[in-house]
Every structure is written in C-alpha cells, then in structure tokens.
Amino acid sequence: MSGEVTVTGFGVRTAFGTGADALRRGVFAGLPAFAPTTRFDTGPYRTPMAAAAPDGPDAVEDWALRHALAECGTEALDMAGLRPGADAAVLLGIAGDHTSVTRYWRGAGAPDAGDGAATDRVADAVPARLTELLAAHLGSAGPRLTFTNACVASAAAIIHGCRLIASGRTDVAVCAGGYLVEEETFGKFDSGRALSKDGMVRPFSADRSGLLLGDGVAVVVLESAEHTRRRGARPLASVVGWGAATDAHHIAQPHPEGAGLARAARQAMRLAGDPDGAALDYVNAHGTGTRYNDGAETRGLRAAFPDRAESIPVSSTKSTTGHLLEAAGVVEFVITLLALTDGVLPPTAGFTAPDPECDLDYVPNRPREADIRRALTVNAAFGGANTALVLERP
C-alpha cells in the first residue's frame, strides 16, 4: 500500500437507537431488537418480527433514508473533526428507499396540486440519487459512487474507499450504507422461507431457523494516515487489509465450502501482512442464522485459517440487529471498531445447541472482555459475492 488508511469518525443508527452507546446497550449486551413491526401489514406473512425502529407519523419521515444518511454523515464528520465541504469521495451501498414507493402508490404520499415533495421522495428509490443527496448535504465535490451489490454493498463501498486512499487518489472517503425494513423486501424473504418463524435469530446453533430483517444506517470517515497526521486528528483505527471474491456457485446460496469467503479473507490478511492470521484476535461473521450460510461460513473460516480457526473468537451480531442487507457491511464495520476500542467481544445472542457443522468459538449469549488489537469483519451476498475488511487498533 502506498497510503495507510485510518478511520476517524462514524455515525450509526439501528433499531437500538442512534450512536455507539445504543449499540453498546443492545448489540454488546446481547439483547435482540426483534419485535412485531407495525410499519406495514404483516398478516400475510409467516412472521411479524423485525428489528425496526419505533414507528409513527414523525418516526417514519425521520427514518427516511435521505434523512438518516444525512444525520449519520453529519455525526461522522463531527467525530472526525472535519467540516462539511471537504473534498471527499462519497461512496454509498444502498438499494434505494422502497418505503417511499410503497407509500406513494398506496396514496399516503400522493402529491397535492403543485406539490412535488412526494414525487421527490419516490425518486429516492433510485440508489444513485441518495448518493447525490448525501454528497450535497456534506458539501462534497469529490467523486461519488453507488454500490448495489446486495448484502456486501456498503462493505464494497468501504473497500473502494480504501483503494482510493491507498492509491493516492483521494485523502478522504465518506463510506455509507442504509436499509430500512419495508414490505417489498420483507415479502421476498418471506416467500423464500428465509425468515425465522419464531421471532429469534440463532446463528451457528443446531436449531437455527432463519434470519430476520433490521433497520440500519451508518457512515464512516476514512482518511489517509498522512492527512490525519497533518491536521492533528486522532485515528480510531486503521484499515490494514481488504479483500473481495466471487464464488458464483448459486444465485442465492453460498458455496458449500465457503470458497469465496475464504478467498476474500485470505486476500485481506495477505494485504495486512498476516497471511496465516497469526495476529487475528476476532472475526465479526456474516452469520445470518440460515441453514446454508452458517455451515458454509464456518468451513470458509477454517479454510482461510486452517491452523488458527478454533482459537479465534467469532460472533454474529445479526442475532441482535437483524440482517441489515445493504447496510450490513458498514454497521458491522462500526461494531467491529467498537469491539477493538472497548475491548469487548459482542456475543452471538440466542445461541442454544451446538451444531457439528458449526464448531468454532461463537462467543455465545454473553459479551466477553478481550484485549484485541486486530479484527476481521466479513460479509456475503446473493450471487456469490464476498468481502473482508481487517481493522487494527492504533
């Protein structure tokens, strides 16, 4: 790498609330955020459960993606000590705001004569528009890119931001992701029988029965180490490795041996100068709680770290936040960062009976204090896409 990448700020919102302390109270305490959602009629579906923020007329508008991204972006710049208007790249992983479309077609957002506000909200369903709105809010004139590759979208945005900085093409990259639970995607996952029927997500457990969706929006600020030093800022962490790989095994199922995930993890660790994972202290897993993912992911981690897999703690925070789809990568990046800075491993909540297919140390049910210096966070997506990011404490 020609330029070291540092993390200097973040803003985050989940069903637990806004900011790091909300994650500490929920994710790190192992308290799932799942409850019946009232955002839409769940009667036709197998479960009403999701990790969604409280609803109501004001909450729905406040949680529109354009507003949540803007607020998280402001929080991230404030934490980093950067002013709006910095010539930063803006990179966003998102599928667009489907909630606005649903409300519009049901008449809840139909514009009055001469009022184009509802039409503007429908335009938020175009992913690149949300990137432009975020960049405009931050006053950035830098390059803008939108990633729509499903559950690795925001992780891919972070990886591209790291590449831009490491190659010297930019000093600052604002990387973001967002997903809000909405009926269109909820219905698709329900029809595919991917949702847990009993309202719990139990990653890596023998009795795991599926995933649940959740709200998540986050923005992180990446900078070159030189830029951070020049302005006298204190980095929260460094991103020392990243990798991406596609196994193209199946449109919806991972490779049974986790081949793509293993390749992405090995790429990231080689770039971090630790190909065998000798210095790796923790893995934040994709861990959806589905039958196909968790066994494949376990085998992928064993393939990536054949001599160390059993001694590295692994946990899935989707057991508390739900699956955040396009936002999963960036929110779990923030969670992994907090694990490093706080010295606490977030647990895999809801863990019950061990599964012979899933035989690693999954930090079951309770947080664990640990002096960790280097951590890996991995994500996977439909189509066989896989990403891996390595964070290191200063």
Side-chain angles (χ1 to χ4, degrees):
M1 283 191 303
S2 62
E4 181 185 347
V5 181
T6 64
V7 187
T8 54
F10 65 84
V12 62
R13 297 178 74 177
T14 65
F16 293 111
T18 299
D21 285 344
L23 292 177
R24 292 183 178 109
R25 290 192 301 268
V27 173
F28 283 82
L31 301 175
F34 307 118
T37 183
T38 58
R39 193 166 290 172
F40 48 85
D41 179 12
T42 58
Y45 306 118
R46 298 163 74 227
T47 179
M49 305 296 281
D55 283 322
D58 296 330
V60 168
E61 187 61 29
D62 184 51
W63 265 92
L65 279 172
R66 61 159 67 189
H67 300 305
L69 286 166
E71 290 184 7
C72 287
T74 298
E75 291 165 10
L77 287 186
D78 286 348
M79 185 183 294
L82 290 170
R83 294 180 179 179
D87 192 19
V90 177
L91 313 170
L92 176 61
I94 206 155
D97 193 341
H98 295 300
T99 304
S100 62
V101 178
T102 302
R103 293 178 66 207
Y104 177 81
W105 286 113
R106 288 184 174 176
D112 297 325
D115 178 9
T119 303
D120 286 344
R121 285 195 294 272
V122 172
D124 290 353
V126 179
R129 173 183 167 86
L130 289 165
T131 308
E132 293 296 326
L133 289 170
L134 177 60
H137 175 78
L138 301 177
S140 174
R144 301 143 198 208
L145 286 170
T146 308
F147 297 80
T148 59
N149 45 340
C151 306
V152 299
S154 55
I158 294 172
I159 288 172
H160 195 73
C162 290
R163 289 170 174 162
L164 290 175
I165 291 170
S167 63
R169 286 179 282 176
T170 190
D171 279 325
V172 182
V174 176
C175 304
Y179 172 71
L180 302 181
V181 177
E182 38 70 42
E183 189 170 8
E184 179 180 339
T185 303
F186 192 96
K188 289 176 181 176
F189 276 85
D190 180 80
S191 65
R193 299 190 175 274
L195 299 182
S196 170
K197 290 189 294 184
D198 64 4
M200 292 296 294
V201 179
R202 294 180 291 274
F204 305 111
S205 293
D207 58 348
R208 62 190 183 276
S209 61
L211 60 86
L212 292 171
L213 299 177
D215 286 345
V217 178
V219 177
V220 297
V221 177
L222 307 180
E223 296 184 58
S224 68
E226 176 56 33
H227 189 268
T228 304
R229 284 192 293 268
R230 198 162 58 235
R231 65 186 190 86
R234 179 182 177 275
L236 303 172
S238 296
V239 188
V240 295
W242 51 86
T246 302
D247 55 46
H249 168 72
H250 188 274
I251 188 62
Q253 296 173 13
H255 188 285
E257 298 302 315
L261 185 141
R263 282 198 299 273
R266 285 194 294 263
Q267 285 177 26
M269 295 308 297
R270 281 197 299 269
L271 191 59
D274 183 18
D276 299 322
L280 187 61
D281 300 310
Y282 168 64
V283 176
N284 185 285
H286 190 60
T288 59
T290 57
R291 182 60 54 184
Y292 287 111
N293 176 89
D294 295 3
E297 186 169 6
T298 298
R299 290 185 285 275
L301 290 173
R302 282 192 168 277
F305 311 111
D307 299 324
R308 287 221 54 223
E310 292 182 1
S311 64
I312 303 172
V314 176
S315 65
S316 169
T317 51
K318 290 182 179 69
S319 59
T320 54
T321 65
H323 196 337
L324 312 178
L325 302 186
E326 288 80 13
V330 67
V331 173
E332 289 164 14
F333 182 93
V334 171
I335 291 169
T336 305
L337 172 65
L338 290 176
L340 285 173
T341 58
D342 291 0
V344 177
L345 303 182
T348 302
F351 190 90
T352 53
D355 184 338
E357 276 197 296
C358 304
D359 54 359
L360 302 179
D361 175 8
Y362 300 112
V363 194
N365 297 317
R366 292 180 177 82
R368 182 185 302 172
E369 292 187 2
D371 182 17
I372 59 173
R373 182 168 181 80
R374 181 173 279 190
L376 171 72
T377 178
V378 294
N379 288 102
F382 285 174
N386 301 270
T387 56
L389 287 149
V390 185
L391 289 84
E392 186 172 272
R393 197 178 70 204

